[in-house]
Amino acid sequence: MPRQTVSFCIPTHGRTRLLLEALESGLVQTRLPDEIVVSDDLGSEEVRSLVSKFSRRASFPVRYVHCTTGPSQAANMNNCLHEAACDLALLLHDDDLLLPRRSK
């Protein structure tokens, strides 16, 4: 059976410091994502630049998308999930972190 692909979906609302921490947490996983999608409902140049810089360090695609469907959290989440190209999606808000797997 082929391995399923995984998108990390991160909706954000202009919180670059938190977003960077969320993005960094994706790099310390035992199973790296096949892509990260960041959906920004503000269309912030600061967020776009942060995602661009981060993507140069990642070994997988990291995409920035501007959510134009409305400034609501639900619209931004839906946009992010809609943009995901993989079999599975993990929704990770910009103020959440993924913890590395601990050894037994």
Side-chain angles (χ1 to χ4, degrees):
M1 174 178 241
R3 181 181 118 166
Q4 291 187 309
T5 56
V6 178
S7 297
F8 286 4
C9 299
I10 307 176
T12 190
H13 185 79
R15 301 187 292 190
T16 53
R17 184 185 61 78
L18 294 172
L19 173 60
L20 181 58
E21 290 177 12
L23 287 166
E24 294 285 350
S25 77
L27 294 179
V28 297
Q29 300 307 301
T30 303
R31 166 61 162 90
L32 293 176
D34 296 287
E35 72 168 352
I36 294 179
V37 179
V38 176
S39 180
D40 177 18
D41 62 357
L42 292 177
S44 161
E45 187 54 43
E46 188 177 9
V47 170
R48 183 186 307 267
S49 175
L50 177 120
V51 171
S52 176
K53 287 176 187 172
F54 179 83
S55 71
R56 291 191 287 270
R57 295 188 300 120
S59 61
F60 45 82
V62 180
R63 295 187 293 123
Y64 170 90
V65 294
H66 178 202
C67 176
T68 58
T69 58
S72 76
Q73 183 180 27
N76 201 16
M77 285 186 330
N78 288 337
N79 184 66
C80 200
L81 292 169
H82 176 76
E83 290 288 332
C86 294
D87 301 317
L88 303 171
L90 178 117
L91 181 62
L92 180 71
H93 292 269
D94 62 1
D95 61 348
D96 293 331
L97 298 175
L98 296 169
L99 298 176
R101 185 176 181 179
R102 294 185 181 174
S103 322
K104 292 183 180 182

